[in-house]
């Protein structure tokens, strides 16, 4: 099988960076056509910076990085420095990027790429708020039918919320964008908190990253050292969940994950539950299924894959 051709849409974030590194370490399965940055974990200038830092860490300054939307469609931007630190990549000391940011807007790149490439040949992989993707779909509705699929990190069902009692961060930041994407008719695969909270960076798993003895292994270990302090305190868990790399891992080894094709609706009307992903996991409505909502992951297999691939960089 030829590698899956993808666009990574992201708001790095330590876990976003690890997801990008995993993709760039897996050329047999994944060809990264470009990386589009969006405001989310930190404001847009920092997410665009962090995406380029990550590419250079991987030894891939040839990857094109585009800056996209700097705010949600309708709501003020909510960020997560309390989790990711002031820069979004707090933890390791990494040099400022030398590679240039592309001049084109991320949304234009998404639209032009989907119109240029054969129908069904490009997969969109959003790791942050869905503002760029929704803006592209609104601006160019014809591209929706050209998308091979969307594999995203966002939402929750059994794990409910991590930024509010009801909502996961990526969906909460721009629920109106999420609603557009989930109602688009595109084939969607969702990595919610229900999965990512089972992919915990324990001390032993983080030691395995550090034991790689490479700049990448060291940086990832330092990223997760920083990142996990928040989740250990919040959840009392044995480590931090690595949310976004679940998207990349599914592209490489989908058999590591299991889930259900269900209907997923996005709450946009209630401030109390704004951004909630209402997943009809038990099939109690007659609403048509619109997303494969993952529910479980082989965590040991996931971390074995991640460690093996990071060792290549």
């Amino acid at each position: 099988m030829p590698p899956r051709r993808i666009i990574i849409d992201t708001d790095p974030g330590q876990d976003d960076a690890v997801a990008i590194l995993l993709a760039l370490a897996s050329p047999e399965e994944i060809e990264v056509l470009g990386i589009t940055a969006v405001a989310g974990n930190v404001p847009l200038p920092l997410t665009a910076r962090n995406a380029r830092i990550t590419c250079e860490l991987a030894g891939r300054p040839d990857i094109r990085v585009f800056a996209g939307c700097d705010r949600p469609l309708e709501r003020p931007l909510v960020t997560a420095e309390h989790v990711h630190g002031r820069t979004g990549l707090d933890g390791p000391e990494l040099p400022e990027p030398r590679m240039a940011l592309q001049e084109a807007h991320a949304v234009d790149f998404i639209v032009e790429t989907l119109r240029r490439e054969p129908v069904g040949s490009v997969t969109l992989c959003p790791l942050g708020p869905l503002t760029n993707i929704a803006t592209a779909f609104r601006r160019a509705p014809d591209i929706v039918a050209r998308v091979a699929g969307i594999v995203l990190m966002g939402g929750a069902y059994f794990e409910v919320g991590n930024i509010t009692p009801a909502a996961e961060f990526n969906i909460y930041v721009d629920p109106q964008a999420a609603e557009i994407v989930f109602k688009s008719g595109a084939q969607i695969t969702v990595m919610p908190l229900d999965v990512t909270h089972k992919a915990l960076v324990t001390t032993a798993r983080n030691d395995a990253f550090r034991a790689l003895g490479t700049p990448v292994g060291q940086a990832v270990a330092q990223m997760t050292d920083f990142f996990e302090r928040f989740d250990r305190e919040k959840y009392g868990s044995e480590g931090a969940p690595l949310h976004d790399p679940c998207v990349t891992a599914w592209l490489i080894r989908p058999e590591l994950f299991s889930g259900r094709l269900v209907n997923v609706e996005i709450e946009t009307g209630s401030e109390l539950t704004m951004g909630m992903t209402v997943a009809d996991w038990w099939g109690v409505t007659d609403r048509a299924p619109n997303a494969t909502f993952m529910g479980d992951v082989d965590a040991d297999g996931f971390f074995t894959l991640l460690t093996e691939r990071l060792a290549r960089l």
Side-chain angles (χ1 to χ4, degrees), residues 15-216:
D15 56 324
D16 304 69
V18 178
I20 293 168
L21 292 171
L22 178 57
L24 296 178
S26 305
E28 305 96 329
E29 295 91 0
I30 296 172
E31 178 185 353
V32 179
L33 301 179
I35 296 175
T36 52
V38 68
N41 285 322
V42 287
L44 182 67
L46 288 173
T47 63
R49 164 191 179 269
N50 293 347
R52 289 177 289 149
I53 287 175
T54 304
C55 290
E56 291 187 352
L57 177 63
R60 293 295 305 276
D62 57 298
I63 298 295
R64 294 182 296 167
V65 177
F66 302 81
C69 299
D70 64 357
R71 60 179 66 94
L73 296 181
E74 299 180 17
R75 297 171 63 83
L77 176 63
V78 174
T79 55
E81 288 89 350
H82 63 290
V83 178
H84 298 279
R86 181 185 58 82
T87 69
L89 280 187
D90 282 18
E93 292 188 12
L94 297 170
E96 290 297 314
R98 300 177 64 182
M99 58 189 284
L101 189 65
Q102 298 296 305
E103 292 184 4
H105 193 280
V107 171
D108 293 331
F109 169 72
I110 292 168
V111 171
E112 291 167 7
T113 301
L114 287 168
R115 283 177 171 169
R116 180 183 66 247
E117 299 297 331
V119 174
S121 67
V122 177
T123 298
L124 301 178
C125 298
L127 309 178
L130 290 163
T131 316
N132 285 342
I133 307 301
T135 302
F137 284 4
R138 287 207 306 191
R139 184 177 301 174
D142 58 289
I143 67 174
V144 176
R146 304 184 66 86
V147 176
I150 300 172
V151 187
L152 67 90
M153 189 278 134
Y157 178 66
F158 293 101
E159 288 288 310
V160 291
N162 65 351
I163 187 67
T164 74
E168 179 276 330
F169 178 81
N170 286 345
I171 305 299
Y172 177 77
V173 170
D174 199 340
Q176 285 75 25
E179 182 179 43
I180 289 169
V181 172
F182 275 87
K183 289 185 174 179
S184 68
Q187 181 177 314
I188 300 173
T189 301
V190 184
M191 296 293 161
L193 299 182
D194 306 284
V195 165
T196 67
H197 279 184
K198 296 172 184 174
L200 298 178
V201 186
T202 61
T203 300
R205 289 166 176 166
N206 209 31
D207 287 345
F209 297 149
R210 190 172 283 107
L212 293 175
T214 63
V216 168

Side-chain angles (χ1 to χ4, degrees), residues 231-259:
D231 290 282
R232 282 181 182 270
E233 181 177 344
K234 179 177 181 179
Y235 296 109
S237 60
E238 57 179 339
L242 266 187
H243 306 286
D244 296 325
C246 289
V247 168
T248 318
W250 183 86
L251 296 174
I252 301 167
R253 298 274 170 78
E255 67 274 12
L256 293 173
F257 300 86
S258 61

Side-chain angles (χ1 to χ4, degrees), residues 22 25-26 29 252-253 305-313:
L22 178 57
S26 305
E29 295 91 0
I252 301 167
R253 298 274 170 78
L305 171 66
L306 180 56
T307 306
E308 288 176 349
R309 294 301 171 93
L310 292 179
R312 297 175 170 186
L313 298 175

